[in-house]
């Protein structure tokens, strides 16, 4: 590993030494400020170089958002066949030239520098010369402390090793825990900001599931592996998380994804500033739709007895009665006069023919209708 990454060790150590020479003119050369700011400046330089990848990440996110209707149609069409669904998704990605993993490009591109910085600080902790850091610079880096914790100290280091670096176990544990919590919280907030403001949540796609998974996976990874990171590496990763969070907030505010919550907020700001003038007909239609939605009433819930008997609510029965009476009056007065007499006659005939049997059937709990024939032995 050291042989493969040796050029990166030299590059990372050279950049740190150059920044340390500059900050050594302002602060003490052996101070944590000079070495800590050198690491922060290394992060800023790397992130500036990664801006083209960040732009590619934004374009990939836009393409994924544009493909969401097609992806939803594929899901509905092949919802019972997951394998065919995955094949159609990959085919769609290939046809449109979209890579769902492009959102991870900045992190993947930083990994070699992250590993190199980790190894450089690990060599400093072991009092070994690495890259362009010679013995005088090595001794200066070992003396550097950030809030009482040496740059090369880890949370899991023993008390003897921490004391050899001129620090106490309590200082190292407190500083590393605080930095790990800040690192995980910043990563979670960055991913949550992307999920809640810059993504159309009405469409469920594999891309959405991937982003949701990353929102929880990365903070947990930082919390678990952070206890084995030197303080200098924690400074590096916390700085890059803060940079990513600020960069994403700027992009979401200025150039949000169409259909997202951030896009609607931006449109509202532009309307308030008079930079967007909408058609009055569209505004009136939106207002009418919103008023109709607010005044819409849900149907009254029927009781169990009403659902079994099939009876309608009282309001519906009254309205049908009024409608029937109105139509009857408009048809003829004679028909309305005959109706009560016909109903009375039908009721009398029903009472005379089946009233007694109907009552016995109701009391005994048997079903109305045709009776089962008796068994031949009971005739």
């Amino acid at each position: 590993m050291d042989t493969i990454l040796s050029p990166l060790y030299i590059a990372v150590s050279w950049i740190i030494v150059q920044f340390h020479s500059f900050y050594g003119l302002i602060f003490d050369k052996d101070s944590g400020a000079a070495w800590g700011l050198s690491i922060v400046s290394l992060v800023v330089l790397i992130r500036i170089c990664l801006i083209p990848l960040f732009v590619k990440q934004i374009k990939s996110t836009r393409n994924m958002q544009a493909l969401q209707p097609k992806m939803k149609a594929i899901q509905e069409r092949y919802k019972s066949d997951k394998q065919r669904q995955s094949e159609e998704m990959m085919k769609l990605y290939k046809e449109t030239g979209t890579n769902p993993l492009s959102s991870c490009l900045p992190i993947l591109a930083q990994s070699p520098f992250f590993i190199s910085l980790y190894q450089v600080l690990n060599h400093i902790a072991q009092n070994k010369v690495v890259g362009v850091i010679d013995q005088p610079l090595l001794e200066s880096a070992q003396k550097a402390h950030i809030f009482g914790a040496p740059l090369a100290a880890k949370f899991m280091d023993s008390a003897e090793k921490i004391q050899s670096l001129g620090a106490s176990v309590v200082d190292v544990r407190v500083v590393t825990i605080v930095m790990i919590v800040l690192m995980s919280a910043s990563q979670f907030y960055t991913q949550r900001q992307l999920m809640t403001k810059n993504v159309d949540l009405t469409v469920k796609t594999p891309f959405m599931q991937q982003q949701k998974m990353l929102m929880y996976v990365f903070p947990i990874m930082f919390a678990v592996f952070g206890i084995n990171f030197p303080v200098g590496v924690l400074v590096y990763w916390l700085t890059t998380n803060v940079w990513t969070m600020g960069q994403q907030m700027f992009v979401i505010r200025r150039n949000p994804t169409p259909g997202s919550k951030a896009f609607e907020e931006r449109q509202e700001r532009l309307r308030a500033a008079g930079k967007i003038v909408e058609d009055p007909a569209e505004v009136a239609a939106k207002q009418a739709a919103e008023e109709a939605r607010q005044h819409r009433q849900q149907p009254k819930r029927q009781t169990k007895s009403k659902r079994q008997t099939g009876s309608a609510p009282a309001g519906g029965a009254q309205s049908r009665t009024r409608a029937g009476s109105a139509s009857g009056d408009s048809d003829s007065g004679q028909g309305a006069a005959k109706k009560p007499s016909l109903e009375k006659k039908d009721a009398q005939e029903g009472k005379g023919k089946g009233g007694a049997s109907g009552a016995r059937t109701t009391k005994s709990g048997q079903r109305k209708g045709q009776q089962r024939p008796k068994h031949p032995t009971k005739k």
Side-chain angles (χ1 to χ4, degrees):
M1 180 65 72
D2 290 345
T3 304
I4 298 174
L5 296 178
S6 179
L8 278 176
Y9 294 172
I10 297 173
V12 169
S13 61
W14 183 84
I15 294 172
I16 292 177
V17 168
Q18 299 307 311
F19 280 118
H20 176 261
S21 300
F22 171 75
Y23 290 114
L25 301 174
I26 304 172
F27 306 99
D28 183 9
K29 291 184 179 181
D30 299 336
S31 65
W35 286 99
L37 290 174
S38 299
I39 296 174
V40 172
S41 300
L42 172 68
V43 174
V44 173
L45 179 62
I46 293 174
R47 294 309 301 265
I48 291 174
C49 295
L50 293 178
I51 286 178
L53 287 180
F54 181 72
V55 173
K56 188 174 181 179
Q57 176 188 5
I58 294 175
K59 291 182 179 179
S60 176
T61 304
R62 296 287 187 275
N63 292 337
M64 292 296 296
Q65 291 293 322
L67 291 178
Q68 283 189 0
K70 295 181 180 180
M71 295 167 70
K72 184 178 180 181
I74 292 175
Q75 285 182 327
E76 293 294 331
R77 185 175 180 180
Y78 303 105
K79 59 183 178 181
S80 58
D81 190 351
K82 297 297 182 182
Q83 182 177 359
R84 182 64 183 278
Q85 185 182 121
S86 301
E87 292 175 357
E88 293 295 326
M89 289 286 187
M90 297 304 296
K91 183 179 178 181
L92 181 63
Y93 294 150
K94 186 176 181 180
E95 291 176 353
T96 57
T98 303
N99 185 5
L101 300 177
S102 296
S103 59
C104 301
L105 284 178
I107 295 177
L108 295 176
Q110 287 186 84
S111 299
F113 297 95
F114 172 78
I115 296 172
S116 300
L117 179 62
Y118 177 87
Q119 291 297 331
V120 167
L121 294 174
N122 194 36
H123 280 70
I124 292 174
Q126 297 175 3
N127 199 19
K128 294 180 180 179
V129 176
V130 56
V132 299
I133 298 179
D134 52 13
Q135 191 64 35
L137 289 172
L138 182 63
E139 294 176 358
S140 175
Q142 287 182 338
K143 295 177 183 178
H145 291 66
I146 296 179
F147 300 109
L151 287 175
K154 306 175 187 176
F155 180 87
M156 300 299 294
D157 284 344
S158 62
E160 292 79 8
K161 186 175 182 180
I162 293 175
Q163 289 176 1
S164 66
L165 295 173
S168 65
V169 177
V170 176
D171 292 339
V172 172
R173 299 284 169 86
V174 171
V175 171
T176 51
I177 288 176
V178 170
M179 296 185 72
I180 289 171
V181 170
L182 292 176
M183 186 174 61
S184 301
S186 60
Q187 178 66 36
F188 177 79
Y189 179 79
T190 300
Q191 196 66 27
R192 186 176 183 275
Q193 181 181 229
L194 177 66
M195 290 293 298
T196 57
K197 286 192 173 184
N198 206 37
V199 173
D200 188 1
L201 297 176
T202 59
V203 182
K204 304 297 182 182
T205 62
F207 173 73
M208 291 284 296
Q209 298 299 325
Q210 173 196 6
Q211 295 297 321
K212 188 176 180 180
M213 180 183 64
L214 294 178
M215 183 172 64
Y216 296 99
V217 170
F218 278 137
I220 294 175
M221 288 176 58
F222 286 136
V224 172
F225 295 109
I227 59 177
N228 293 314
F229 291 163
V231 174
V233 174
L234 295 179
V235 172
Y236 173 93
W237 209 251
L238 178 60
T239 305
T240 193
N241 282 357
V242 173
W243 175 283
T244 302
M245 183 171 59
Q247 185 175 251
Q248 184 172 274
M249 289 175 66
F250 177 82
V251 172
I252 289 176
R253 182 175 178 83
R254 296 297 182 91
N255 190 20
T257 301
S260 63
K261 182 180 178 181
F263 182 80
E264 296 177 358
E265 292 176 354
R266 179 176 178 272
Q267 294 298 101
E268 291 295 332
R269 291 196 302 268
L270 293 177
R271 291 190 192 98
K275 296 181 180 180
I276 294 181
V277 180
E278 294 183 344
D279 188 3
E282 294 181 1
V283 176
K286 290 180 181 179
Q287 292 178 353
E290 183 65 21
E291 291 178 358
R293 186 185 66 81
Q294 293 178 356
H295 292 86
R296 184 173 57 195
Q297 296 181 356
Q298 296 294 334
K300 294 182 179 180
R301 186 175 181 180
Q302 296 182 357
T303 61
K304 185 176 180 180
S305 59
K306 289 183 178 180
R307 289 197 302 270
Q308 290 176 348
T309 57
S311 61
Q318 292 177 0
S319 61
R320 288 196 296 269
T321 304
R322 288 196 296 269
S325 61
S327 60
D329 291 341
S330 60
D331 292 337
S332 63
Q334 184 178 359
K338 291 180 179 180
K339 187 175 181 181
S341 61
L342 291 175
E343 292 177 353
K344 184 175 180 181
K345 183 177 180 181
D346 292 339
Q348 292 176 355
E349 290 177 357
K351 184 176 180 180
K353 293 179 180 180
S357 62
R360 287 194 302 272
T361 303
T362 304
K363 290 181 180 179
S364 61
Q366 298 178 356
R367 293 183 179 179
K368 295 180 180 181
Q370 187 176 2
Q371 300 291 329
R372 292 180 60 183
K374 295 183 178 179
H375 197 273
T377 58
K378 296 182 180 181
K379 288 183 179 180

